[in-house]
Amino acid sequence: MPLNLAPNIPDPDGFYDELLAQFEGLSDEDAEALKSRLILILANHIGDRATLTDAFAAAKAR
Amino acid sequence: MVAPRYETVKTLYPYAAVAAQTAPAQRHPVVVVGGGPVGLALALDLGQRGTPVLLLDDHEGPGLGSKAICFAKRTLDIAHRLGAAGPMLKKGVVWNVGRVFHGDGQVFEFDLLPEDGHRHPAFINLQQPCFEEYLHAAITCAQKAGAPIEIRGRNRVTGLTDHDNHVSLDVDTPDGAYTVEADYLIACDGARSPIRNHLGLSFDGRVFEDNFLIADVRMTADFPTERWFWFQPPFEHAGQSALLHKQPDDVWRIDFQLGWDIDRDLELDPDRIRTRVDAMLSSQTGTVPDYELVWTSIYTFQCRRMKSFRQGRTFFAGDSAHQVSPFGARGANSGVQDAENLAWKLDLVLKGDAPDALLDTYCREREYAADENILNSSRATDFMTPKSKASTSFRDAVLELAGRHAFARPLVNSGRLSAPCVYDGLPGFGPDALDGPAATRPGAACPDAQMGNRYLLDQITGGFQIITIGDVSVGPDAPCAVLSITDVSPSLRARFLGDAPTAVYLLRPDQHIIGRWPTWDGAAITAALASSKGKQCR
Ligand SMILES: Cc1cc2nc3c(=O)[nH]c(=O)nc-3n(C[C@H](O)[C@H](O)[C@H](O)COP(=O)(O)OP(=O)(O)OC[C@H]3O[C@@H](n4cnc5c(N)ncnc54)[C@H](O)[C@@H]3O)c2cc1C
C-alpha cells in the first residue's frame, strides 16, 4: 500500500473543522497527549510498516 | 593467596592441591576461566562430547545474592540436552498471569497459556545459584560416567601470555602460584573480566543512567503467583517502574527503578525499603502480609559488548563478552547460548574434524546475537524510561490506550523475554529450498514438537542431524544420523511443514537449522553440512 499523498478526504473543510474542535480548550499538555493517542490509533489502522515509514519521511521533509 | 571477593552460597568445588601445581606447566586443549552459568554449561557440553576441559574459578561455589531469576525455554532445552534440566523444572516456578499497572490503575492483564507441543514452559523463575548448582551436579554425574571435566576451585587467573600456538596462564592458589597452558582459552569470567583487562581489550557501549533497587522478600502469606509490573508506581519513593516476581522457596523478587541521582545509603535503609514494599504488597488487597527482607542491593546496568569475541586463541563468552539491562532476562540466557554455540565447534576443531576457521563463526553468530539482545534490551529501557517530552507523551498514550484497546498492548514494553537468535543470512546456513514456516527457516533454533507421547528434541543425537518429515525416502548417501518421522503431529506439521507435504531438515549439533528441502537431496545435504563446518565445499 503506497503512501497516498493525493487528496483523499471528501469534505476537507468539515474534516479540518472537526480536527481543530478536538483540541479546543485543551492545555498544551492535554493537546500533546491527544495527538500522541491519535497518531497511535491512526498508525495502527494503517498497519503497513512500509507505508508508515514513508509517512514519517513525508512528515519530516520540509 | 586468593582472598574471596564475595560470599558464596555453598561449596561445590572446594580447593584441593593438584600435582600440576608443583610440576612443569601442563598443556590442556581447553581451559575455561569462570564457573558461572556460562563456564559451567560450556565445560559440561565439551566434556560430554569427550573433549577434555579444565575449569578454573577463584571461588568454591555460586555467589550469594540476587542475580538472574528468569530462565527461558531455550536455556531449558539446552540444559535438558546436557542432563541438568530435571531439578530446574522441579524447583522452578512457572507463572502464567501477568498484570501491568500504570500509576494507580491496572492497564491490562495477560495469561501466557502454555503453547502445546513443547516439553518446556516459556520460562521458569529460579535463583541463579540453584541454576549453577544443578549444572554442577550434572557435571559431577558426567565425570562419574567418564567425561573428561576437571574443576579447580580457588584457582585465580592473575595474568596470561598469548604465544602463537597456545596461551599460558598465571594461576594463584592458596598454596601459591603456578602456570597452566591452553590450546584454547575461554574467558567466562564475568562482566569485569580480568582476562579482557589483561589483554587490554575495550568493552564499550551505553550506560543507562539508572539505579535499580532489588529486594528479595520471603513471605508465606497466600499471595498470587503472578508477575506485576508498574509504570510510574503510585507508592512513595518507588521510582519510575516496579516489578514483583515470584521465586521458589516463598521468595519474591521486587525491583524498584530509582533513577540516576540517588543516595545509595539512604535507599538501602531497611525502613525506607519496607515502606515501599508495604505499599506495593498491600496495593491490591489493602493489607500488608507478613514478610522478611532476605536480600537487598542496588544495581546499575549497561548495554555493551566487545568488538570481537575472539582474540587469537582466547574466546569470550557470557557477561565477559556482552552485557545487557535485565529487562528480558537476556544475560544468563544468552550466555548459555554462547556456550552451546562454542562447545561443538571447539570439539570438532580439536578432534581435527573442522578447520580453525569454524571458530570464527562463533564470533560472527554470537556478536550478531549480542547486538540483537542489546537492541531489545535498549528498546525496553527506552520505553520504561522515556528520554524526552515526546517519548513520555507516546509512552503514556500507549499505556492509556492499552487499557481500552487490544491494539496498543503489544506496544507496551517491560522487557521482551529472551528468545534464541535466528542467524539470518550468516555464512554456513542454507539453502532454504522448502516453502516452509518462517519459524524453522535456516538459522533458527529447532523448536520442539510433540511426537506421540514424546518430544522431538529428545530424539536428536547431539551431533549433526537430519530429520525427514512425512513420506520421504532416505538415500544411501546420508552424511549423518537420520530421524524419520512419518506420524506427523499437528504441532510438528504447523512448525515444520506448513503447506508442504514433506520436508527434510539438517540441524547442527547445537540444534540450529542449517538448511531444509522438500525432498531428499543427498548431495545438497552433504554440501550444506560441509559448509556448516567451515569447509570450502560450495
Ligand atoms: C539483578 C540481576 C538480575 C538478573 N536477572 C537475570 C535474569 O532473570 N535472567 C538472565 O538470564 N540473566 C539475568 N541477569 C544476568 C546474569 O546474572 C548474568 O548474565 C550471568 O551471571 C552471567 O554469567 P557468566 O557465567 O557469564 O558470568 P558470572 O556469573 O559473572 O561468572 C563469572 C565467574 O568467573 C569467576 N572469575 C572472575 N574472575 C576470575 C579469575 N580471575 N579467575 C578465576 N575465576 C574468575 C567469578 O568468580 C565467577 O564465578 C541478572 C543480573 C543481575 C545483576
Side-chain angles (χ1 to χ4, degrees):
Chain A
M1 179 183 25
L3 180 66
N4 186 358
L5 292 173
N8 192 34
I9 300 176
D11 181 26
D13 291 348
F15 158 74
Y16 196 72
D17 200 31
E18 190 179 347
L19 179 68
L20 291 194
Q22 308 309 313
F23 292 85
E24 211 153 298
L26 293 190
S27 67
D28 286 355
E29 203 174 313
D30 286 346
E32 176 74 18
L34 177 58
K35 281 186 208 163
S36 295
R37 291 196 298 275
L38 198 53
I39 290 171
L40 291 168
I41 288 168
L42 296 174
N44 180 68
H45 182 81
I46 293 166
D48 185 68
R49 280 294 284 108
T51 308
L52 290 169
T53 300
D54 290 348
F56 292 145
K60 269 221 133 160
R62 305 190 59 182
Chain B
M1 260 331 294
V2 199
R5 295 179 292 120
Y6 51 79
E7 233 183 296
T8 49
V9 180
K10 59 167 71 174
T11 299
L12 296 179
Y13 33 89
Y15 171 73
V18 293
Q21 284 169 241
T22 50
Q26 251 174 32
R27 179 78 58 92
H28 298 263
V30 183
V31 174
V32 173
V33 179
V38 180
L40 289 170
L42 179 59
L44 180 55
D45 208 341
L46 279 168
Q48 286 185 345
R49 293 181 187 281
T51 284
V53 52
L54 171 64
L55 187 151
L56 306 174
D57 192 278
D58 65 347
H59 290 71
E60 298 181 318
L64 189 70
S66 307
K67 288 176 94 180
I69 57 165
C70 198
F71 292 92
K73 172 158 53 198
R74 181 67 198 151
T75 303
L76 297 171
D77 287 344
I78 295 169
H80 182 68
R81 178 173 60 75
L82 297 173
M88 295 176 185
L89 290 160
K90 195 153 164 239
K91 173 126 187 169
V93 172
V94 178
W95 60 267
N96 294 317
V97 175
R99 295 177 195 278
V100 175
F101 303 94
H102 187 199
D104 279 325
Q106 176 172 320
V107 180
F108 64 96
E109 64 176 271
F110 54 87
D111 192 344
L112 298 170
L113 286 178
E115 215 188 327
D116 60 326
H118 290 274
R119 170 187 285 283
H120 295 125
F123 46 86
I124 58 168
N125 282 1
L126 179 72
Q127 294 93 334
Q128 181 167 334
C130 298
F131 184 80
E132 294 178 27
E133 184 184 340
Y134 301 150
L135 281 177
H136 181 264
I139 287 180
T140 309
C141 243
Q143 284 168 328
K144 285 193 184 124
I149 307 170
E150 185 184 353
I151 303 185
R152 296 185 192 160
R154 267 184 105 184
N155 272 237
R156 175 173 293 158
V157 175
T158 56
L160 75 156
T161 316
D162 190 349
H163 305 279
D164 254 2
N165 59 351
H166 72 282
V167 179
S168 69
L169 297 169
D170 307 323
V171 181
D172 201 12
T173 75
D175 290 316
Y178 72 112
T179 304
V180 169
E181 292 181 354
D183 288 335
Y184 291 105
L185 168 66
I186 322 300
C188 305
D189 52 351
R192 294 205 178 91
S193 178
I195 293 180
R196 194 182 61 226
N197 294 337
H198 287 309
L199 291 172
L201 299 170
S202 60
F203 196 35
D204 296 326
R206 182 168 163 206
V207 180
F208 286 105
E209 299 203 332
D210 230 317
N211 290 283
F212 291 83
L213 171 70
I214 312 251
D216 283 343
V217 307
R218 179 170 290 119
M219 65 179 164
T220 45
D222 205 11
F223 206 82
T225 301
E226 298 177 352
R227 178 191 197 257
W228 292 358
F229 189 95
W230 280 264
F231 292 96
Q232 294 173 316
F235 340 120
E236 213 185 336
H237 310 307
Q240 293 251 31
S241 72
L243 172 67
L244 176 74
H245 222 181
K246 174 120 201 278
Q247 306 176 52
D249 304 325
D250 301 319
V251 175
W252 298 76
R253 162 70 55 87
I254 298 176
D255 287 5
F256 295 107
Q257 185 189 0
L258 296 183
W260 188 233
D261 272 323
I262 60 159
D263 176 343
R264 289 176 81 97
D265 292 336
L266 174 74
E267 298 300 349
L268 282 170
D269 172 25
D271 287 339
R272 189 174 165 98
I273 294 176
R274 279 190 161 272
T275 311
R276 291 170 228 198
V277 172
D278 286 359
M280 178 192 256
L281 295 180
S282 61
S283 66
Q284 304 308 306
T285 59
T287 53
V288 181
D290 270 343
Y291 67 88
E292 161 201 355
L293 285 180
V294 186
W295 176 271
T296 55
S297 48
I298 290 182
Y299 291 92
T300 56
F301 291 104
Q302 333 219 334
C303 278
R304 53 184 182 173
R305 77 158 168 93
M306 293 181 71
K307 231 186 171 124
S308 168
F309 292 179
R310 172 175 197 174
Q311 173 77 8
R313 294 189 157 258
T314 305
F315 292 81
F316 294 84
D319 274 15
S320 72
H322 47 76
Q323 245 190 314
V324 291
S325 82
F327 301 101
R330 287 164 184 268
N333 284 306
S334 72
V336 168
Q337 290 166 42
D338 292 348
E340 87 147 355
N341 189 295
L342 188 52
W344 68 271
K345 294 176 181 174
L346 275 171
D347 176 64
L348 285 188
V349 170
L350 282 159
K351 287 179 176 153
D353 197 17
D356 177 89
L358 177 61
L359 300 175
D360 291 330
T361 67
Y362 162 76
C363 303
R364 210 152 39 216
E365 290 164 12
R366 297 313 297 167
E367 287 161 11
Y368 181 81
D371 286 342
E372 181 177 295
N373 286 317
I374 289 172
L375 180 70
N376 274 292
S377 155
S378 305
R379 285 175 169 175
T381 313
D382 287 340
F383 188 85
M384 291 163 58
T385 319
K387 306 286 186 294
S388 65
K389 249 180 149 169
S391 53
T392 307
S393 166
F394 279 121
R395 199 280 305 268
D396 291 347
V398 166
L399 290 173
E400 199 186 319
L401 290 169
R404 279 178 279 135
H405 304 293
F407 90 82
R409 287 170 204 161
L411 298 174
V412 174
N413 191 346
S414 63
R416 303 284 182 224
L417 188 78
S418 166
C421 179
V422 181
Y423 304 126
D424 275 319
L426 296 189
F429 293 99
D432 186 3
L434 180 79
D435 189 15
T440 44
R441 65 192 185 273
C446 181
D448 208 354
Q450 195 84 41
M451 283 180 62
N453 51 10
R454 297 177 306 171
Y455 290 93
L456 171 65
L457 293 183
D458 288 353
Q459 317 300 314
I460 59 189
T461 57
F464 285 93
Q465 175 82 51
I466 294 165
I467 304 175
T468 68
I469 302 167
D471 188 12
V472 176
S473 56
V474 176
D477 50 353
C480 59
V482 181
L483 171 68
S484 290
I485 305 171
T486 45
D487 184 7
V488 182
S489 70
S491 61
L492 210 98
R493 177 174 303 283
R495 281 164 211 162
F496 292 86
L497 288 179
D499 295 330
T502 60
V504 178
Y505 281 78
L506 175 64
L507 268 51
R508 305 199 305 194
D510 61 6
Q511 302 178 347
H512 277 263
I513 293 161
I514 298 169
R516 57 180 181 179
W517 298 264
T519 52
W520 185 262
D521 183 344
I525 295 169
T526 304
L529 192 153
S531 152
S532 171
K533 281 185 181 175
K535 293 188 176 159
Q536 307 291 319
C537 210
R538 283 187 300 157

